[in-house]
PDB file of all heavy atoms in Angstrom:
ATOM      1  N   THR A  53     -24.273  11.840 -48.855  1.00  0.00           N
ATOM      2  CA  THR A  53     -24.579  10.423 -49.016  1.00  0.00           C
ATOM      3  C   THR A  53     -25.551   9.982 -47.933  1.00  0.00           C
ATOM      4  O   THR A  53     -25.265  10.096 -46.740  1.00  0.00           O
ATOM      5  CB  THR A  53     -23.295   9.578 -48.916  1.00  0.00           C
ATOM      6  OG1 THR A  53     -22.367  10.005 -49.910  1.00  0.00           O
ATOM      7  CG2 THR A  53     -23.605   8.101 -49.100  1.00  0.00           C
ATOM      8  N   ALA A  54     -26.717   9.503 -48.353  1.00  0.00           N
ATOM      9  CA  ALA A  54     -27.703   9.028 -47.381  1.00  0.00           C
ATOM     10  C   ALA A  54     -27.192   7.747 -46.737  1.00  0.00           C
ATOM     11  O   ALA A  54     -26.806   6.798 -47.419  1.00  0.00           O
ATOM     12  CB  ALA A  54     -29.038   8.785 -48.068  1.00  0.00           C
ATOM     13  N   VAL A  55     -27.168   7.722 -45.424  1.00  0.00           N
ATOM     14  CA  VAL A  55     -26.625   6.578 -44.700  1.00  0.00           C
ATOM     15  C   VAL A  55     -27.597   6.122 -43.620  1.00  0.00           C
ATOM     16  O   VAL A  55     -28.437   6.897 -43.141  1.00  0.00           O
ATOM     17  CB  VAL A  55     -25.261   6.912 -44.055  1.00  0.00           C
ATOM     18  CG1 VAL A  55     -24.208   7.192 -45.114  1.00  0.00           C
ATOM     19  CG2 VAL A  55     -25.381   8.084 -43.082  1.00  0.00           C
ATOM     20  N   THR A  56     -27.459   4.869 -43.255  1.00  0.00           N
ATOM     21  CA  THR A  56     -28.174   4.308 -42.111  1.00  0.00           C
ATOM     22  C   THR A  56     -27.137   3.768 -41.128  1.00  0.00           C
ATOM     23  O   THR A  56     -25.948   3.678 -41.433  1.00  0.00           O
ATOM     24  CB  THR A  56     -29.105   3.176 -42.558  1.00  0.00           C
ATOM     25  OG1 THR A  56     -28.323   2.165 -43.224  1.00  0.00           O
ATOM     26  CG2 THR A  56     -30.176   3.695 -43.512  1.00  0.00           C
ATOM     27  N   THR A 116     -16.919   1.563 -38.604  1.00  0.00           N
ATOM     28  CA  THR A 116     -17.959   2.532 -38.896  1.00  0.00           C
ATOM     29  C   THR A 116     -19.310   1.849 -38.810  1.00  0.00           C
ATOM     30  O   THR A 116     -19.455   0.685 -39.208  1.00  0.00           O
ATOM     31  CB  THR A 116     -17.777   3.150 -40.294  1.00  0.00           C
ATOM     32  OG1 THR A 116     -18.864   4.062 -40.547  1.00  0.00           O
ATOM     33  CG2 THR A 116     -17.750   2.099 -41.390  1.00  0.00           C
ATOM     34  N   TYR A 117     -20.282   2.554 -38.266  1.00  0.00           N
ATOM     35  CA  TYR A 117     -21.632   2.018 -38.192  1.00  0.00           C
ATOM     36  C   TYR A 117     -22.469   2.433 -39.406  1.00  0.00           C
ATOM     37  O   TYR A 117     -23.595   1.980 -39.550  1.00  0.00           O
ATOM     38  CB  TYR A 117     -22.333   2.520 -36.922  1.00  0.00           C
ATOM     39  CG  TYR A 117     -21.663   2.130 -35.627  1.00  0.00           C
ATOM     40  CD1 TYR A 117     -21.941   2.813 -34.450  1.00  0.00           C
ATOM     41  CD2 TYR A 117     -20.767   1.066 -35.570  1.00  0.00           C
ATOM     42  CE1 TYR A 117     -21.342   2.447 -33.251  1.00  0.00           C
ATOM     43  CE2 TYR A 117     -20.160   0.699 -34.387  1.00  0.00           C
ATOM     44  CZ  TYR A 117     -20.455   1.396 -33.226  1.00  0.00           C
ATOM     45  OH  TYR A 117     -19.857   1.037 -32.034  1.00  0.00           O
ATOM     46  N   LEU A 118     -21.917   3.298 -40.249  1.00  0.00           N
ATOM     47  CA  LEU A 118     -22.685   3.883 -41.340  1.00  0.00           C
ATOM     48  C   LEU A 118     -22.632   3.013 -42.590  1.00  0.00           C
ATOM     49  O   LEU A 118     -21.574   2.496 -42.956  1.00  0.00           O
ATOM     50  CB  LEU A 118     -22.163   5.286 -41.659  1.00  0.00           C
ATOM     51  CG  LEU A 118     -22.100   6.269 -40.476  1.00  0.00           C
ATOM     52  CD1 LEU A 118     -21.560   7.611 -40.937  1.00  0.00           C
ATOM     53  CD2 LEU A 118     -23.463   6.407 -39.815  1.00  0.00           C
ATOM     54  N   ARG A 119     -23.767   2.898 -43.266  1.00  0.00           N
ATOM     55  CA  ARG A 119     -23.855   2.164 -44.517  1.00  0.00           C
ATOM     56  C   ARG A 119     -24.638   2.991 -45.527  1.00  0.00           C
ATOM     57  O   ARG A 119     -25.627   3.650 -45.169  1.00  0.00           O
ATOM     58  CB  ARG A 119     -24.570   0.811 -44.324  1.00  0.00           C
ATOM     59  CG  ARG A 119     -23.868  -0.150 -43.385  1.00  0.00           C
ATOM     60  CD  ARG A 119     -22.546  -0.620 -43.968  1.00  0.00           C
ATOM     61  NE  ARG A 119     -21.904  -1.646 -43.149  1.00  0.00           N
ATOM     62  CZ  ARG A 119     -21.048  -1.387 -42.176  1.00  0.00           C
ATOM     63  NH1 ARG A 119     -20.766  -0.113 -41.872  1.00  0.00           N
ATOM     64  NH2 ARG A 119     -20.486  -2.363 -41.489  1.00  0.00           N
ATOM     65  N   ASP A 120     -24.182   2.947 -46.810  1.00  0.00           N
ATOM     66  CA  ASP A 120     -24.913   3.660 -47.852  1.00  0.00           C
ATOM     67  C   ASP A 120     -26.066   2.795 -48.353  1.00  0.00           C
ATOM     68  O   ASP A 120     -26.337   1.705 -47.820  1.00  0.00           O
ATOM     69  CB  ASP A 120     -23.976   4.073 -48.990  1.00  0.00           C
ATOM     70  CG  ASP A 120     -23.328   2.882 -49.686  1.00  0.00           C
ATOM     71  OD1 ASP A 120     -23.813   1.746 -49.513  1.00  0.00           O
ATOM     72  OD2 ASP A 120     -22.324   3.080 -50.407  1.00  0.00           O
ATOM     73  N   ALA A 121     -26.741   3.250 -49.410  1.00  0.00           N
ATOM     74  CA  ALA A 121     -27.933   2.550 -49.901  1.00  0.00           C
ATOM     75  C   ALA A 121     -27.614   1.144 -50.376  1.00  0.00           C
ATOM     76  O   ALA A 121     -28.476   0.248 -50.336  1.00  0.00           O
ATOM     77  CB  ALA A 121     -28.585   3.364 -51.018  1.00  0.00           C
ATOM     78  N   ALA A 122     -26.358   0.916 -50.832  1.00  0.00           N
ATOM     79  CA  ALA A 122     -25.967  -0.408 -51.323  1.00  0.00           C
ATOM     80  C   ALA A 122     -25.413  -1.284 -50.212  1.00  0.00           C
ATOM     81  O   ALA A 122     -25.002  -2.424 -50.469  1.00  0.00           O
ATOM     82  CB  ALA A 122     -24.941  -0.261 -52.444  1.00  0.00           C
ATOM     83  N   GLY A 123     -25.365  -0.780 -48.970  1.00  0.00           N
ATOM     84  CA  GLY A 123     -24.851  -1.557 -47.858  1.00  0.00           C
ATOM     85  C   GLY A 123     -23.359  -1.450 -47.656  1.00  0.00           C
ATOM     86  O   GLY A 123     -22.797  -2.188 -46.834  1.00  0.00           O
ATOM     87  N   ASN A 124     -22.679  -0.556 -48.393  1.00  0.00           N
ATOM     88  CA  ASN A 124     -21.232  -0.391 -48.252  1.00  0.00           C
ATOM     89  C   ASN A 124     -20.909   0.482 -47.038  1.00  0.00           C
ATOM     90  O   ASN A 124     -21.633   1.451 -46.762  1.00  0.00           O
ATOM     91  CB  ASN A 124     -20.644   0.255 -49.505  1.00  0.00           C
ATOM     92  CG  ASN A 124     -20.875  -0.592 -50.738  1.00  0.00           C
ATOM     93  OD1 ASN A 124     -20.630  -1.793 -50.730  1.00  0.00           O
ATOM     94  ND2 ASN A 124     -21.391   0.030 -51.806  1.00  0.00           N
ATOM     95  N   PRO A 125     -19.823   0.185 -46.316  1.00  0.00           N
ATOM     96  CA  PRO A 125     -19.443   1.032 -45.176  1.00  0.00           C
ATOM     97  C   PRO A 125     -19.003   2.415 -45.638  1.00  0.00           C
ATOM     98  O   PRO A 125     -18.351   2.560 -46.675  1.00  0.00           O
ATOM     99  CB  PRO A 125     -18.297   0.262 -44.526  1.00  0.00           C
ATOM    100  CG  PRO A 125     -17.760  -0.620 -45.603  1.00  0.00           C
ATOM    101  CD  PRO A 125     -18.913  -0.971 -46.481  1.00  0.00           C
ATOM    102  N   VAL A 126     -19.359   3.421 -44.860  1.00  0.00           N
ATOM    103  CA  VAL A 126     -19.004   4.808 -45.155  1.00  0.00           C
ATOM    104  C   VAL A 126     -18.140   5.325 -44.015  1.00  0.00           C
ATOM    105  O   VAL A 126     -18.556   5.281 -42.846  1.00  0.00           O
ATOM    106  CB  VAL A 126     -20.259   5.689 -45.332  1.00  0.00           C
ATOM    107  CG1 VAL A 126     -19.865   7.145 -45.544  1.00  0.00           C
ATOM    108  CG2 VAL A 126     -21.110   5.181 -46.481  1.00  0.00           C
ATOM    109  N   TYR A 127     -16.936   5.824 -44.360  1.00  0.00           N
ATOM    110  CA  TYR A 127     -15.976   6.268 -43.351  1.00  0.00           C
ATOM    111  C   TYR A 127     -15.784   7.784 -43.302  1.00  0.00           C
ATOM    112  O   TYR A 127     -15.329   8.312 -42.284  1.00  0.00           O
ATOM    113  CB  TYR A 127     -14.614   5.626 -43.602  1.00  0.00           C
ATOM    114  CG  TYR A 127     -14.579   4.132 -43.408  1.00  0.00           C
ATOM    115  CD1 TYR A 127     -14.828   3.269 -44.467  1.00  0.00           C
ATOM    116  CD2 TYR A 127     -14.304   3.574 -42.161  1.00  0.00           C
ATOM    117  CE1 TYR A 127     -14.794   1.886 -44.288  1.00  0.00           C
ATOM    118  CE2 TYR A 127     -14.268   2.197 -41.978  1.00  0.00           C
ATOM    119  CZ  TYR A 127     -14.514   1.361 -43.054  1.00  0.00           C
ATOM    120  OH  TYR A 127     -14.483   0.000 -42.882  1.00  0.00           O
ATOM    121  N   PRO A 193     -11.755   3.012 -46.926  1.00  0.00           N
ATOM    122  CA  PRO A 193     -10.913   1.815 -46.887  1.00  0.00           C
ATOM    123  C   PRO A 193      -9.570   1.977 -47.609  1.00  0.00           C
ATOM    124  O   PRO A 193      -8.744   1.074 -47.554  1.00  0.00           O
ATOM    125  CB  PRO A 193     -11.790   0.772 -47.568  1.00  0.00           C
ATOM    126  CG  PRO A 193     -12.591   1.548 -48.541  1.00  0.00           C
ATOM    127  CD  PRO A 193     -12.869   2.859 -47.881  1.00  0.00           C
TER     128      PRO A 193
END
Side-chain angles (χ1 to χ4, degrees):
T53 302
V55 295
T56 58
T116 178
Y117 300 161
L118 306 180
R119 298 293 186 270
D120 62 16
N124 299 312
V126 176
Y127 294 91

